[in-house]
Structures are given as structure tokens and as C-alpha cells.
Amino acid sequence: MARLRDPATGCEWDKVQTFQTIAPYTIEEAYEVADACARGDMDDLKDELGDLLLQVVFHSRIAEEAGHFALGDVADAISTKMERRHPHIFGGAVEGGHHLWEAIKAEERAAKDDPSALAGVALGLPALLRAEKLQKRAARVGFDWPDDDGPRAKIAEEIQEVLNADDDAARTEEIGDLLFAVVNWARHLGVDAEAALRSANTKFESRFRAMEATAGGTIAGFTLDDQEALWSAAKQAEREPRKV
């Protein structure tokens, strides 16, 4: 990476990158790792982990050039953090477990400039995932529904507010509130909303591609009834056992 970033002899693209321009690629590579995991493709996972590692190296090199830190400091920092958060493993503490991990993380947040219970929930997270994290943080200090009846009723309320919205700006706001409420209900039901939506996306894509294949390549020009019949057939095909 140092050679790629060399001002005189480096790659024209690599040497002009910044933290800000690289960040979207970092996020993309993390998702490609998750995709390889979901598919159980170990060869692909190996490659994607390499791509993600390159992002860590890239950011670290930019930081080193600016005199902030180097790759070794990144490794030292995470090692120190893991030891600090696992005193029952590394520090001789009598008890441990997830509750101790969370307590230590809370102490770390309290020591920072922002004392809010919501401090540190990254703005760059996918919106559904960030909503869930914000809700979990609020729940830790008691701001939460006692059961799933509350968030379920809130969804009905938000749907009505979407219907009552009188302009695009209001509808956009109310749709956001509705999505937030759905994430809250999913959290109370123990469902990972981000993973659930990824699964729904995959299912939709699979069924739509099956429709196109049955239709000979495209469903453009088909009537809505014909498209619905293709969709139903694609759903039915998913339920049928495959012939070996």
C-alpha cells in the first residue's frame, strides 16, 4: 500500500484517495463478506475477507501518512480492547460473560465526551441496523415498551399517519416513523430486521428471476394478471422438492 500511495511512482487512483472516498468501499466489502457467509461459500469468503483487510490497510496507511497512527497501532488497540472487555479471561476476574462486557462498554462510553446512552451508534450504519441499535441503547436505560403489544400498536398508528399525510414531505417523515416502528416490533420479537429484509430481498430477486425465465427473458408487456400467475408459479416452485 505504501508503494501504491507513493506520490511519485504510485497508482494514480490509490494515491489520491482519502478516508472519505474509501469509506463507501469499506462498507461494500463488509457486506460482501456477509453475503459470502450467508451463501456458505468459503472460497468466496476467503477472497472477500482479503478485500476487507485491504480496506483496513488502506485506511491505516492514509492515517500513517498524516501522522495519526499506523496498522500496528490498529492491531494493538483492538487487542487491548479485547483484553479490557474480557477480564474474566485475561485479567483474573472471578465472573464474566456478556453482562460484564456490556458494563465495561458502558463505562468506556461514559468516559468519552458524549455521555448520552446513544453515543457511538455510527451514522454510517444501514438505517434498519442503526434503528435497532438506537432502540437497544434506549432500552438499556428503561426507555422501551414492556412487551411487543406496544410496538405492534404503534405500527397501526404510524400507518394511519402515513394515510393522513397531506404532502410528500409529511409522507416521507411518516414512512420513516413506520419503518422505525416495524424495526422496534421485530426487536421485541427477537427478529434481526436487517437480516430479515436481506432475506426478503433475496427471495424477491429469486422469484422475479424465475418469472423472467418462465416468460422467456422479460415480463414487460405481460398483463398484471399474467404477471401475478407467474409470481404464484415461482412461489409454488420454491415449495416443491427438487428432482435429483
Side-chain angles (χ1 to χ4, degrees):
M1 184 55 65
R3 291 182 64 183
L4 288 170
R5 294 271 301 173
D6 186 279
T9 61
C11 169
E12 293 299 320
W13 187 87
D14 290 278
K15 66 186 183 182
V16 299
Q17 300 309 307
T18 66
F19 294 122
Q20 291 74 23
T21 61
I22 288 298
Y25 297 100
T26 308
I27 295 170
E28 180 181 340
E29 296 299 350
Y31 273 110
E32 290 184 359
V33 167
D35 178 65
C37 291
R39 291 184 286 104
D41 188 331
M42 293 299 102
D43 287 337
D44 204 16
L45 178 58
K46 178 183 65 177
D47 289 342
E48 298 301 345
L49 285 172
D51 290 343
L52 183 58
L53 178 58
L54 177 63
Q55 295 299 308
V56 177
V57 173
F58 211 142
H59 283 285
S60 298
R61 179 60 194 176
I62 296 173
E64 184 175 5
E65 292 168 357
H68 300 308
F69 58 83
L71 182 60
D73 300 313
V74 173
D76 287 341
I78 189 59
S79 295
T80 299
K81 182 186 293 185
M82 291 300 98
E83 290 177 7
R84 182 174 64 249
R85 291 182 178 178
H86 295 85
H88 57 300
I89 303 296
F90 299 105
V94 176
E95 63 174 16
H98 188 68
H99 70 284
L100 185 57
W101 167 281
E102 292 296 343
I104 294 170
K105 285 178 65 178
E107 291 174 0
E108 293 170 357
R109 287 194 295 270
K112 295 184 177 181
D113 293 336
D114 186 353
S116 172
L118 304 181
V121 181
L123 289 170
L125 289 172
L128 287 182
L129 179 57
R130 189 164 193 267
E132 182 178 12
K133 285 185 174 292
L134 289 170
Q135 292 166 6
K136 285 181 176 179
R137 289 285 190 87
R140 289 176 192 164
V141 293
F143 189 70
D144 198 11
W145 300 99
D147 52 45
D148 64 280
D149 289 338
R152 183 175 58 188
K154 188 67 174 175
I155 290 173
E157 176 186 326
E158 297 297 348
I159 289 175
Q160 190 58 51
E161 291 186 4
V162 172
L163 296 174
N164 293 340
D166 54 11
D167 57 41
D168 289 344
R171 273 187 290 276
T172 298
E173 180 178 351
E174 297 303 342
I175 286 289
D177 291 345
L178 174 59
L179 291 171
F180 193 86
V182 171
V183 172
N184 212 357
W185 191 30
R187 180 176 61 86
H188 273 267
L189 295 175
V191 174
D192 182 333
E194 184 75 20
L197 185 55
R198 283 201 303 270
S199 177
N201 288 340
T202 299
K203 181 169 59 179
F204 176 85
E205 181 178 8
S206 175
R207 289 176 181 175
F208 192 87
R209 287 179 179 274
M211 291 170 63
E212 291 177 318
T214 302
T218 180
I219 62 171
F222 280 61
T223 67
L224 187 57
D225 286 342
D226 287 340
Q227 290 178 352
E228 180 61 32
L230 288 169
W231 177 266
S232 297
K235 287 178 62 176
Q236 182 61 35
E238 290 177 354
R239 304 188 186 101
E240 295 174 353
R242 296 189 177 185
K243 296 180 180 180
V244 179

